[in-house]
Amino acid sequence: MSALVVATCFVAAGCAPDRSAETVASELVLHASDGLRIAATLQTASSDRAPGLILVHQLGGYRTDWDHFARRAAQAGYATLAFDMRGHGESAGLNPSAPGYRGFSAEDWKGVMRDIDAAKQALIDAGADANRIGIAGASIGANLAAQYAAEHADVQALVMLSPGTEYKGVRVAPAFAAYGNRPSML
């Protein structure tokens, strides 16, 4: 996915960034509302109040799967936050007593909504414009992104890469229908 694709979705949502070539990457540990620690990478543009984009990886993936895209998006003026979902990557190591994703129940997958909440708050705390937040996800991350966006009217744009009808109990059709007429790309 290119930064142009996301830019198109964001322009449709009225979330166009101010262009900037300077970017800064920061490694963070987020705290989900249920106490789990979540490893994350924040890429920020040098402009204040840039539109924010939450990046949700695929099943068995890592936040680093988004590195190239996140750098390009930050260069285009977006603040991005990619994170290792609970049970994945460094987040699994930060929470050794929590189950790994291979042992997740449908309820555990719903817990990722707390990770996304923490990611959104970290973006806003880092200076992203709270009125211009979007979310992009791949595979189960797309389903989770759609579910989150459906439940949070403050998410103005949704990009889904290879969503499934249902992944691990996370159904996309009802979530996408509830998301409504806000800008989206599939």
Side-chain angles (χ1 to χ4, degrees), residues 1 7 16 18 29 38-39 45 59-60 73 80 112 157 163 166 169 175 179:
M1 174 172 40
D18 298 323
V29 175
I38 306 300
L59 179 69
T80 66
V112 175
E166 179 181 348
Y179 176 72

Side-chain angles (χ1 to χ4, degrees), residues 90-163:
E90 287 183 43
S91 294
L94 292 171
N95 304 288
S97 62
Y101 72 90
R102 286 183 178 96
F104 273 15
S105 66
E107 203 57 37
D108 291 319
W109 285 110
K110 289 178 185 174
V112 175
M113 296 300 123
R114 293 181 179 113
D115 305 351
I116 298 172
D117 267 337
K120 182 174 72 173
Q121 190 58 54
L123 266 175
I124 294 166
D125 291 349
D129 187 342
N131 296 311
R132 298 188 298 166
I133 299 291
I135 189 168
S139 184
I140 195 168
N143 287 38
L144 292 163
Q147 182 70 47
Y148 188 84
E151 296 172 3
H152 294 83
D154 59 338
V155 174
Q156 288 89 29
L158 169 65
V159 177
M160 296 182 295
L161 301 170
S162 299

Side-chain angles (χ1 to χ4, degrees), residues 9-37:
C9 190
F10 265 68
V11 168
C15 298
D18 298 323
R19 303 281 181 217
S20 172
E22 286 188 46
T23 65
V24 176
S26 304
E27 300 300 316
L28 306 173
V29 175
L30 310 178
H31 298 275
S33 62
D34 60 358
L36 290 184
R37 298 181 322 163

